[in-house]
């Protein structure tokens, strides 16, 4: 409870921080963010308060999820140790002010990349680490099998999310009315749906299987409606104006894609480093070339990422394998017909 | 006095007006004002410079752009095609709505509990003190969350509870029949206002009559008659139009009638129950602050109990009750912002969404602060005027 309260004041705090920061910008050899991260010895990473597959704290308080793994990957690349991350769970509303004000270094929180967020919010976004879209979950008992059956339904949705706008546009285009029920706290929102306050729970479709599996008393009573109703490329957000930090985020993401494509895994990375004759792999793992130095990092940055966190396929399977069993779909590598496409690392 | 001190003053100030008291006090105020203005300006310039440096959009243009999100309940017509400005207005009206109802019910409940607490009836006073102690010692946040959770545990629309024909209580809120609008209703409303004025005049007349002749005229029944009779006469004159809009279950939800969302109901109950506990204590202390000698004296001159309450106890108790009650009204209004936790679309809820969709945190928060400030100032002005009316006048 106290957390919710504290968090709801964050936007206020954040604007106060913006108000009192001296209006100067420091440019050193290392970018300001890398400098701060190295001094601190920790990456401050904004994550979801609790969404299965993306970021959720287990019973021992250990964070798990795809978004969490990317926080770790960045820590491994910059500090050489994937465990040096401080996770700051964020609501949908306070995530951007927290990033803008410097309270977090990176926002890895199921955040859709949109033009407005990229421009007017003063942010930059790395390559998408996950593609999804707005999905709907309903109780089977209401007898709806497709979105067109949802006329007049009460829909539970997060405030300030792209989902909130997508639903408004979708229902308007179909000429259907609905009642939005908008709650920021993840627990309260899912609880409202489960208790029957809403007919429909709507969020990024990838978030739904987890709530169905773990939050429902009986998962079989619920159904995720077919179809994805928007484009939601989820990417890591950073403050605009720090090119080095942005580059690091961008290329750490490409490391995970490329490692999967080139068959470098957590298990075989040491062997690959010692034996691989592939020039791409040699450059990636810092055997040849100076890719790491160009980013202002050590040359084994990518090795650390793969060794400590793994390639994209491993990250995906770890978080979306059993019991969620979410098919990879468009999140496959481009070589297998998906959208994940690592840029050349040379 | 002043004639004597004047030459002395002039003598002390001498030629230098630096020692002039009037000049000094003005100079200090100018200095203080200047420092404040400088601080405000620095803050403003700093915010602007920082926002610009970070490439964050600023300005108020977003108020005129289409919001693209829907609001669950609104006093005014609102759709996703409307502007952020209108969305915020809908939020402001929702805040005012829950605050007004909250103040109304908290006052009634609080006064009742306060009087119950000084009652000689042991059961009543014990129950009232239990209520006060439990409710005011639990944080208001928990009250709101508690009622938000309780209301979600109510049955679904298909199994809704039916307290009386046409009304339903369920986890989608409370719905009940409501009269369909008829052109006669504004006239009935006007007649009701006229009746209130009539009762006020009647009381004034009866009081003057009593002061002049010593004869007591009870205005209770006559007053009630005017209050009910006049609007009723107007209503009948228009042909007694009355069509009930009875809610019915269509599709997923009830349509028609008066609909109160569960978020509104939960927030209203939460802040009402919490604030009423404080008002009860204020009323109790107000009543107990009247010296018992006053009441004994009133009895001694043979006033009847209802007169003692009305002409001796209440005028003195109100003096104690009004100012702290005003601050309870203010905190109730501000506490209504906790609706954001359970999803009531109040100003903070919509302000937060606006902030997130546009990224203009400084502007959105400034709007919220200014609106709460304005509402609070209106309430406290109103209460100050009322306080002046009931204050004991020195004659």
């Amino acid at each position: 409870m106290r957390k919710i309260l504290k968090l709801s004041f964050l936007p206020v705090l954040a604007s106060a921080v913006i108000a009192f920061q001296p209006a100067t910008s420091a440019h050193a050899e290392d970018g300001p963010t890398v400098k701060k991260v190295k001094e601190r010895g920790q990456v401050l990473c904004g994550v979801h308060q609790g969404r299965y597959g993306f970021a959720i704290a287990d019973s021992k308080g250990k964070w798990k999820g795809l978004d969490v793994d990317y926080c770790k990957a960045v820590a491994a690349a910059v500090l050489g140790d994937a465990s040096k991350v401080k996770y700051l769970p964020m609501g949908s509303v306070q995530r951007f002010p927290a990033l803008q004000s410097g309270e977090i270094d990176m926002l890895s929180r199921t955040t859709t990349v949109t033009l407005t967020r990229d421009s007017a919010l003063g942010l930059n976004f790395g390559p998408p680490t996950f593609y999804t879209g707005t999905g709907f979950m309903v109780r089977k008992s209401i007898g709806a099998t497709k979105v067109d059956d949802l006329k007049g339904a009460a829909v539970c949705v997060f405030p300030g999310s792209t989902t909130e706008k997508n639903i408004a546009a979708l229902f308007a285009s179909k000429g259907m009315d609905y009642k939005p029920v908008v709650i920021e706290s993840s627990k309260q929102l899912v609880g409202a749906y489960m208790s029957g306050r809403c007919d429909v729970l709507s969020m990024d479709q990838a978030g739904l299987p987890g709530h169905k599996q773990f939050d429902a008393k009986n998962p079989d009573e619920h159904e995720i409606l077919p179809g994805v109703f928007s484009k939601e490329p989820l990417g890591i957000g950073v403050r605009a104006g720090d090119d080095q930090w942005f580059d690091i985020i961008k290329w750490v993401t490409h490391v995970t894609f490329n490692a999967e494509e080139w068959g470098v895994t957590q298990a075989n990375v040491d062997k690959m480093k010692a034996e691989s004759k592939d020039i791409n792999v040699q450059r990636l793992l810092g055997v040849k070339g100076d890719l790491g130095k160009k980013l202002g990092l050590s040359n084994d940055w990518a090795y650390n990422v793969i060794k400590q966190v793994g390639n994209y396929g491993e990250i995906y399977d770890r978080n979306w394998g059993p019991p969620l069993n979410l098919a990879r779909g468009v999140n496959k590598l481009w070589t297998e017909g998906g959208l994940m496409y690592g840029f050349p690392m040379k | 006095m002043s004639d004597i001190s004047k030459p002395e003053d002039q003598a002390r100030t001498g030629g230098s007006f630096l020692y002039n008291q009037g000049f000094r006090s003005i100079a200090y105020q100018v200095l203080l004002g200047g420092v404040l203005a400088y601080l405000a300006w620095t803050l403003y310039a700093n915010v602007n410079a920082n926002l610009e440096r970070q490439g964050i959009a600023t300005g108020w243009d977003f108020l005129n752009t289409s919001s693209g999100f829907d609001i669950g309940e609104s006093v005014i017509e609102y759709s996703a095609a409307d502007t952020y400005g209108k969305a915020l207005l809908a939020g402001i009206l929702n805040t005012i709505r829950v605050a007004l109802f909250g103040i109304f019910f908290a006052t009634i409940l609080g006064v009742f509990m306060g009087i119950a607490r000084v009652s000689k009836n042991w059961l009543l006073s014990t129950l009232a003190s239990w209520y006060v102690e439990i409710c005011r010692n639990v944080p208001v946040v928990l009250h709101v969350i508690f009622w938000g959770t309780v209301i979600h545990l109510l049955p679904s629309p298909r199994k809704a509870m039916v307290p009386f024909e046409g009304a339903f209580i369920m986890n989608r809120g409370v719905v009940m029949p409501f009269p369909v609008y008829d052109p006669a209703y504004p006239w009935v409303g006007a007649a009701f206002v006229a009746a209130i004025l009539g009762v006020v005049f009647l009381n004034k007349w009866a009081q003057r009559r009593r002061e002049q002749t010593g004869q007591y005229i009870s205005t209770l029944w006559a007053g009630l008659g005017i209050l009910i009779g006049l609007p009723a006469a107007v209503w009948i004159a228009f042909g007694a139009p009355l069509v009930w809009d009875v809610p019915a279950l269509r599709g997923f939800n009830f349509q028609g009638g008066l609909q109160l969302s569960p978020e509104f109901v939960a927030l209203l109950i939460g802040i009402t129950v919490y604030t009423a506990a404080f008002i009860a204590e204020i009323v109790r202390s107000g009543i107990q602050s009247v010296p018992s000698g006053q009441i004994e004296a009133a009895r001694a001159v043979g006033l009847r109990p209802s007169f003692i309450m009305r002409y001796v106890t209440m005028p003195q108790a109100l003096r104690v009750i009004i100012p702290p009650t005003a601050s309870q009204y203010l905190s109730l209004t501000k506490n209504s912002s906790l609706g954001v936790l359970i999803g009531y679309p109040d100003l903070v809820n919509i302000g937060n969404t606006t902030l997130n969709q546009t990224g203009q945190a400084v502007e959105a928060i400034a709007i919220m602060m200014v609106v709460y400030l304005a509402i609070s100032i209106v309430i406290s002005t109103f209460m100050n005027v009322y306080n002046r009316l009931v204050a004991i006048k020195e004659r």
Side-chain angles (χ1 to χ4, degrees):
Chain A
M1 190 68 273
R2 192 184 293 160
K3 191 185 285 169
I4 295 174
L5 257 192
K6 195 182 128 214
L7 293 181
S8 57
F9 292 127
L10 268 177
V12 185
L13 267 183
S15 27
V17 169
I18 294 175
F20 285 103
Q21 253 174 10
T24 53
S25 58
H27 278 294
E29 282 289 313
D30 257 343
T33 313
V34 174
K35 224 170 141 190
K36 260 193 270 173
V37 167
K38 283 183 177 165
E39 267 169 31
R40 202 191 295 125
Q42 232 181 7
V43 175
L44 303 181
C45 193
V47 295
H48 202 287
Q49 317 112 303
R51 182 171 284 185
Y52 301 100
F54 287 108
I56 191 136
D58 66 13
S59 53
K60 290 180 197 112
K62 262 185 76 175
W63 284 90
K64 282 180 177 167
L66 182 126
D67 285 346
V68 168
D69 280 346
Y70 274 97
C71 303
K72 288 182 182 165
V74 171
V78 179
L79 301 169
D81 184 348
S83 67
K84 292 194 169 154
V85 184
K86 187 173 180 193
Y87 301 100
L88 291 110
M90 304 255 144
S92 57
V93 167
Q94 87 254 18
R95 55 184 163 172
F96 297 125
L99 182 58
Q100 288 164 341
S101 64
E103 198 197 336
I104 51 177
D105 299 319
M106 57 186 285
L107 180 69
S108 182
R109 188 205 171 280
T110 60
T111 301
T112 306
V113 185
T114 69
L115 189 147
T116 305
R117 288 172 175 178
D118 204 356
S119 57
L121 266 57
L123 306 179
N124 278 328
F125 286 95
T129 53
F130 201 95
Y131 291 92
T132 179
T134 297
F136 298 93
M137 180 156 81
V138 298
R139 260 174 294 282
K140 281 181 184 161
S141 59
I142 69 168
T145 53
K146 54 186 187 300
V147 170
D148 301 71
D149 299 336
L150 297 179
K151 190 172 189 297
V155 182
C156 271
V157 63
F158 285 106
S161 57
T162 43
T163 316
E164 198 182 10
K165 284 189 157 188
N166 293 335
I167 302 177
L170 177 69
F171 277 71
S173 75
K174 291 181 182 289
M176 305 194 298
D177 57 341
Y178 72 104
K179 275 239 179 274
V181 177
V182 180
I183 308 177
E184 198 195 344
S185 150
S186 189
K187 273 216 170 71
Q188 295 277 338
L189 184 83
V190 176
Y193 166 74
M194 292 300 171
S195 70
R197 168 65 185 100
C198 306
D199 302 299
V200 185
L201 177 64
S202 182
M203 58 174 69
D204 290 344
Q205 203 187 30
L208 292 171
H211 291 306
K212 180 181 168 187
Q213 188 69 34
F214 298 113
D215 292 334
K217 259 190 218 128
N218 180 2
D220 294 336
E221 283 174 3
H222 302 268
E223 185 180 8
I224 297 168
L225 296 183
V228 170
F229 294 89
S230 66
K231 291 193 279 188
E232 309 287 339
L234 310 180
I236 299 170
V238 293
R239 276 181 297 283
D242 186 344
D243 289 351
Q244 185 202 9
W245 184 245
F246 180 38
D247 286 346
I248 290 172
I249 300 289
K250 196 193 294 179
W251 289 101
V252 164
T253 312
H254 285 305
V255 164
T256 60
F257 300 156
N258 283 327
E260 186 184 8
E261 188 181 336
W262 297 332
V264 187
T265 66
Q266 229 173 341
N268 73 7
V269 65
D270 286 312
K271 193 161 164 264
M272 292 287 255
K273 191 174 184 179
E275 294 170 10
S276 178
K277 298 278 179 289
D278 184 342
I279 181 70
N280 280 322
V281 175
Q282 287 176 330
R283 277 206 207 99
L284 179 74
L285 299 178
V287 181
K288 289 229 170 90
D290 55 354
L291 294 182
K293 290 213 177 73
K294 282 175 178 151
L295 289 171
L297 302 173
S298 69
N299 228 16
D300 57 358
W301 65 293
Y303 166 82
N304 287 335
V305 170
I306 301 164
K307 176 79 189 165
Q308 299 180 26
V309 183
N311 67 36
Y312 187 79
E314 290 174 300
I315 293 173
Y316 191 95
D317 292 340
R318 185 182 309 143
N319 298 305
W320 296 103
L324 295 176
N325 292 322
L326 187 76
R328 255 181 94 169
V330 290
N331 292 309
K332 283 183 188 148
L333 284 184
W334 67 289
T335 48
E336 293 158 30
L339 292 171
M340 295 306 179
Y341 184 100
F343 287 3
M345 304 195 63
K346 49 180 88 159
Chain B
M1 244 338 236
S2 58
D3 283 335
I4 303 166
S5 64
K6 237 181 190 165
E8 264 186 23
D9 272 355
Q10 280 166 357
R12 207 188 297 142
T13 51
S16 166
F17 67 119
L18 273 179
Y19 293 101
N20 182 308
Q21 209 175 19
F23 171 79
R24 276 193 164 195
S25 75
I26 290 172
Y28 285 140
Q29 293 189 35
V30 167
L31 204 65
L32 185 66
V35 169
L36 281 178
Y38 174 76
L39 277 177
W41 183 81
T42 316
L43 203 63
Y44 175 77
N46 221 335
V47 167
N48 266 345
N50 274 309
L51 289 176
E52 199 168 319
R53 181 173 57 81
Q54 299 188 355
I56 299 171
T58 53
W60 303 96
D61 294 341
F62 70 97
L63 288 176
N64 294 320
T65 56
S66 171
S67 70
F69 61 85
D70 273 305
I71 298 176
E73 55 186 307
S74 171
V75 182
I76 49 172
E77 284 284 322
Y78 171 85
S79 77
D82 285 317
T83 60
Y84 281 111
K86 199 167 175 195
L88 287 167
L89 180 65
I92 294 170
L93 292 174
N94 275 339
T95 291
I96 293 177
R97 180 166 78 124
V98 77
L100 282 183
F101 279 101
I103 287 173
F104 178 74
F105 288 119
T107 309
I108 292 179
L109 184 63
V111 169
F112 176 77
M113 286 294 174
I115 293 175
R117 224 153 111 69
V118 293
S119 154
K120 291 202 179 71
N121 183 323
W122 178 83
L123 184 64
L124 196 60
S125 71
T126 310
L127 283 180
S129 48
W130 272 78
Y131 163 77
V132 167
E133 291 309 333
I134 289 174
C135 287
R136 74 170 175 171
N137 290 323
V138 173
V140 60
V141 187
L142 296 183
H143 276 283
V144 172
I145 301 250
F146 173 77
W147 291 106
T149 313
V150 164
I151 211 155
H152 283 165
L153 297 178
L154 291 172
S156 65
R158 274 163 223 288
K159 296 169 196 155
M161 300 191 280
V162 186
F164 58 88
E165 186 62 35
F168 301 91
I169 299 177
M170 66 204 138
N171 61 6
R172 300 293 167 82
V174 177
V175 294
M176 59 184 84
F178 198 68
V180 179
Y181 177 81
D182 188 277
Y185 291 162
W187 293 103
V188 176
F192 184 67
V193 174
I196 292 177
L197 290 176
V199 169
V200 169
F201 277 114
L202 181 74
N203 277 329
K204 280 253 156 81
W205 171 79
Q207 193 183 349
R208 211 174 320 126
R209 184 71 191 264
R210 196 187 67 240
E211 279 165 8
Q212 282 167 0
T213 65
Q215 184 195 1
Y216 173 69
I217 306 161
S218 170
T219 56
L220 180 68
W221 296 111
L224 270 179
I226 294 176
L227 270 186
I228 298 168
L230 194 58
V234 171
W235 181 59
I236 291 166
F238 271 94
L242 180 63
V243 179
W244 290 100
D245 182 8
V246 181
L249 188 60
R250 264 174 246 133
F252 296 113
N253 291 300
F254 280 90
Q255 312 284 334
L258 176 68
Q259 306 226 0
L260 301 174
S261 75
E263 292 79 24
F264 175 78
V265 174
L267 179 63
L268 182 62
I269 296 179
I271 56 177
T272 299
V273 163
Y274 177 77
T275 312
F278 285 89
I279 294 181
E281 277 302 89
I282 293 168
V283 169
R284 179 190 61 77
S285 66
I287 291 173
Q288 289 180 340
S289 75
V290 180
S292 55
Q294 294 268 328
I295 294 151
E296 283 159 12
R299 272 194 213 125
V301 297
L303 282 183
R304 35 174 132 171
S306 64
F307 271 44
I308 298 176
M309 195 57 160
R310 194 164 150 199
Y311 293 110
V312 179
T313 312
M314 276 329 261
Q316 301 188 66
L318 277 181
R319 204 172 36 147
V320 178
I321 291 172
I322 300 296
T325 304
S327 31
Q328 288 306 320
Y329 289 173
L330 294 179
S331 58
L332 181 140
T333 307
K334 286 173 279 181
N335 284 341
S336 74
S337 61
L338 292 170
V340 74
L341 294 177
I342 54 169
Y344 180 66
D346 74 334
L347 173 62
V348 174
N349 195 330
I350 293 174
N352 274 346
T353 302
T354 302
L355 178 163
N356 198 34
Q357 300 282 19
T358 61
Q360 296 188 268
V362 178
E363 286 87 348
I365 289 185
I367 289 175
M368 290 190 240
M369 285 173 22
V370 166
V371 169
Y372 276 108
L373 187 65
I375 295 176
S376 297
I377 286 176
V378 168
I379 293 176
S380 62
T381 309
F382 183 78
M383 291 305 287
N384 281 342
V385 169
Y386 184 61
N387 190 31
R388 223 166 293 145
L389 283 180
V390 299
I392 289 189
K393 289 168 188 81
E394 303 272 345
R395 273 184 256 246

